[in-house]
């Protein structure tokens, strides 16, 4: 019940989950959870059920914690999601693999230029490690520092998430410029 089940990494649990979807959905519903299964992409995970005031009975406590992400981690997730969308549009391969240097190049544009290059790379490595810890990237043991972008990023970084990020960025930019952000 903890983490993501991938078809390629967990073949036996994946088989059981796909064969017993109805029973699993009923079982976790009692705990206020839903099962998100993407058979096309090959992953499944548990998600908290949306807070509905229409539900009968007592409220169920949140079992899956919400995590607040830093600006640069959110930005890295958005950039990785964009990279995955571009990759899917232009390639027939199923795995997007990026080197550490490619990720550094992606983020460098958005990092402050007032710090030294070594410190900048250290900060990017910290953000990169957080994204790995969250499960959106997987380190590859290929002799060089490279990462596979996990397709589960599509389930979390969707159009709504990107729109929310855009809104927060607009508010942040307005705050920096000394104006208030109004409706667009």
């Amino acid at each position: 019940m903890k983490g993501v089940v991938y078809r390629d990494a967990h073949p036996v649990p994946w088989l059981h989950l796909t064969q017993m979807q109805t029973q699993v959905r009923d079982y976790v519903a009692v705990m206020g959870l839903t099962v998100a299964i993407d058979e096309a992409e090959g992953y499944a995970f548990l998600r908290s059920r949306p807070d509905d005031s229409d539900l009968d009975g007592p409220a169920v406590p949140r079992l899956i914690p919400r995590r607040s992400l830093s600006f640069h981690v959110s930005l890295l997730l958005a950039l990785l999601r964009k990279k995955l969308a571009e990759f899917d549009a232009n390639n027939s391969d199923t795995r997007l693999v990026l080197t550490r240097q490619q990720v550094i190049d992606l983020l460098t544009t958005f990092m402050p230029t007032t710090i030294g290059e070594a410190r900048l790379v250290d900060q990017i490595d910290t953000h990169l490690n957080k994204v790995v810890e969250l499960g959106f990237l997987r380190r590859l043991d290929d002799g060089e520092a490279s990462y596979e972008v996990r397709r589960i990023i599509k389930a979390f970084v969707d159009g709504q998430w990107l729109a929310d990020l855009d809104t927060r960025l607009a508010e942040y930019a307005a705050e920096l410029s000394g104006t208030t952000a109004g409706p667009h």
Side-chain angles (χ1 to χ4, degrees):
M1 288 181 56
K2 194 170 188 177
V4 180
V5 175
Y6 292 101
R7 178 179 42 222
D8 58 346
H10 314 102
V12 174
W14 178 262
L15 179 65
H16 292 155
L17 179 61
T18 55
Q19 289 176 345
M20 300 171 51
Q21 281 185 46
T22 305
Q23 293 93 329
V24 172
R25 288 182 196 284
D26 292 344
Y27 183 78
V28 300
V30 173
M31 295 178 278
L33 303 172
T34 60
V35 180
I37 301 173
D38 190 330
E39 292 191 40
E41 299 290 352
Y43 62 82
F45 62 96
L46 294 176
R47 177 176 269 168
S48 291
R49 194 170 48 211
D51 295 330
D52 291 334
S53 57
D54 302 339
L55 293 177
D56 295 331
V60 177
R62 179 176 281 282
L63 295 176
I64 299 174
R66 297 188 125 195
R67 295 188 181 135
S68 173
L69 302 176
S70 71
F71 167 75
H72 288 102
V73 170
S74 297
L75 180 63
L76 180 55
L77 289 174
L79 293 170
L80 290 172
R81 178 63 177 96
K82 180 180 180 225
K83 202 72 153 149
L84 185 62
E86 291 170 357
F87 177 80
D88 286 344
N90 298 326
N91 292 299
S92 61
D93 195 8
T94 58
R95 290 180 54 196
L96 171 59
V97 176
L98 298 173
T99 64
R100 177 176 167 265
Q101 188 58 50
Q102 288 173 312
V103 175
I104 289 171
D105 292 344
L106 273 175
L107 265 180
T108 301
T109 308
F110 301 97
M111 299 293 284
T113 57
T114 57
I115 61 175
E117 187 174 337
R119 217 169 124 216
L120 176 72
V121 170
D122 285 346
Q123 285 182 354
I124 291 174
D125 280 338
T126 301
H127 304 315
L128 191 55
N129 289 334
K130 181 64 176 175
V131 173
V132 169
E133 178 187 315
L134 292 171
F136 297 113
L137 286 176
R138 182 173 65 101
R139 281 187 181 90
L140 299 177
D141 298 326
D142 59 356
E144 62 179 84
S146 57
Y147 301 87
E148 176 187 358
V149 179
R150 301 304 302 241
R151 294 200 163 269
I152 193 161
I153 199 170
K154 294 169 89 174
F156 289 93
V157 183
D158 57 5
Q160 181 62 45
W161 191 92
L162 291 172
D164 291 345
L165 180 64
D166 264 353
T167 303
R168 286 192 303 270
L169 288 175
E171 290 169 357
Y172 181 67
E175 186 178 305
L176 286 178
S177 68
T179 63
T180 58
H184 299 279

